[in-house]
Amino acid sequence: MAFRPLHDRVLVRRTEAEEKTAGGIIIPDTAKEKPQEGEVVSVGTGARNDQGVVTPLEVKAGDRILFGKWSGTEVKVDGEDLIIMKESDILGIVG
């Protein structure tokens, strides 16, 4: 991929939503909520503080993360729907 986010931004690929509920009911596409879990595709170099020192990000490419429902900006890169968000929008790393 020829895209790298800047500073404290992260490029995320959303995981696919579940097709069935725990009880076996199939959920139609119109009723599915967008998942709040994804995989980090690429990360920026880090945020700069007031002295100009770069603080590296805690997440790295390949991490599975949880993020807020309305976090980030949806973009299309190389025909794939991805999300760009700040590291502060990430709630945690899964596993």
Side-chain angles (χ1 to χ4, degrees):
M1 180 171 295
F3 182 84
R4 185 177 58 89
L6 297 176
H7 307 297
D8 63 339
R9 289 185 170 71
V10 178
L11 188 65
V12 176
R13 178 183 300 119
R14 241 186 244 274
T15 57
E16 293 298 318
E18 291 293 321
E19 299 288 327
K20 291 183 182 181
T21 64
I25 299 171
I26 296 174
I27 304 169
D29 288 337
T30 55
K32 287 183 190 171
E33 287 191 24
K34 290 184 178 180
Q36 297 173 351
E37 186 175 331
E39 177 186 354
V40 176
V41 176
S42 178
V43 297
T45 55
R48 290 191 187 272
N49 63 14
D50 294 336
Q51 290 77 31
V53 178
V54 175
T55 305
L57 301 179
E58 291 188 38
V59 296
K60 60 187 179 308
D63 283 349
R64 288 184 54 217
I65 60 166
L66 293 176
F67 51 89
K69 190 172 212 144
W70 308 109
S71 299
T73 303
E74 293 184 1
V75 295
K76 191 167 269 213
V77 178
D78 295 338
E80 186 177 8
D81 291 325
L82 301 170
I83 305 166
I84 297 175
M85 65 181 68
K86 288 190 166 240
E87 185 186 35
S88 60
D89 291 338
I90 297 173
L91 303 175
I93 299 172
V94 178

